[in-house]
Amino acid sequence: MQNLEDVGVPASQYLNELNTASNVLTRRYPGLTPDQPLILSEGRSRADLPRGAFYRDPQGNIRRNDNEDRGNPIIRKAPPIAPPPRATSGAVSVNPAAVDFLRQNNTPQMRAAFDQKYGAGSAQRYLSGR
């Protein structure tokens, strides 16, 4: 076996060209790396994928098509989905200074802003002393 230098190609040039070719192939043919998985859509079956191709499953996990129908291991788990916001009782703590400011500046615009921040009807409740 010959060395790269024996055929007139420096090793650094060979590695650079090899990396360039790899990058071109990866961009041109998705599924070659976990960073660019194939997307199963429009009824496309996993059975249609080439062996060794990376794909995104319906749950968002990245898998490699190695085991045919026996199931493929997860290569990269899907990021967790944020839980929905917890329901609150609707009671918002109102700053007493905000109530004082509302009483001193009782205008339709101020009542609307107060209601927007603390909930519909809250300006009227605090102005009436309830």
Side-chain angles (χ1 to χ4, degrees), residues 22-37:
S22 175
N23 290 337
V24 167
L25 284 173
T26 301
R27 281 193 306 271
R28 172 93 190 229
Y29 301 103
L32 292 177
T33 69
D35 295 325
Q36 286 193 305

Side-chain angles (χ1 to χ4, degrees), residues 83-90:
R86 294 189 315 162
T88 61
S89 65

Side-chain angles (χ1 to χ4, degrees), residues 18-119:
L18 186 61
N19 285 334
T20 300
S22 175
N23 290 337
V24 167
L25 284 173
T26 301
R27 281 193 306 271
R28 172 93 190 229
Y29 301 103
L32 292 177
T33 69
D35 295 325
Q36 286 193 305
L38 294 166
I39 308 296
L40 297 180
S41 61
E42 300 171 5
R44 186 172 184 187
S45 169
R46 186 174 43 125
D48 297 338
L49 300 179
R51 187 175 177 94
F54 292 94
Y55 67 96
R56 187 176 303 277
D57 69 13
Q59 293 78 29
N61 300 310
I62 306 296
R63 296 180 181 263
R64 186 171 176 163
N65 194 32
D66 287 335
N67 297 323
E68 297 169 354
D69 291 334
R70 295 181 304 246
N72 294 308
I74 294 174
I75 302 297
R76 188 180 302 154
K77 285 189 175 248
I81 297 172
R86 294 189 315 162
T88 61
S89 65
V92 176
S93 176
V94 177
N95 184 342
V99 176
D100 290 339
F101 189 80
L102 173 66
R103 287 185 177 136
Q104 293 168 6
N105 301 287
N106 186 2
T107 65
Q109 295 86 0
M110 186 57 65
R111 288 191 301 270
F114 195 90
D115 283 348
Q116 184 177 5
K117 182 167 184 172
Y118 297 110

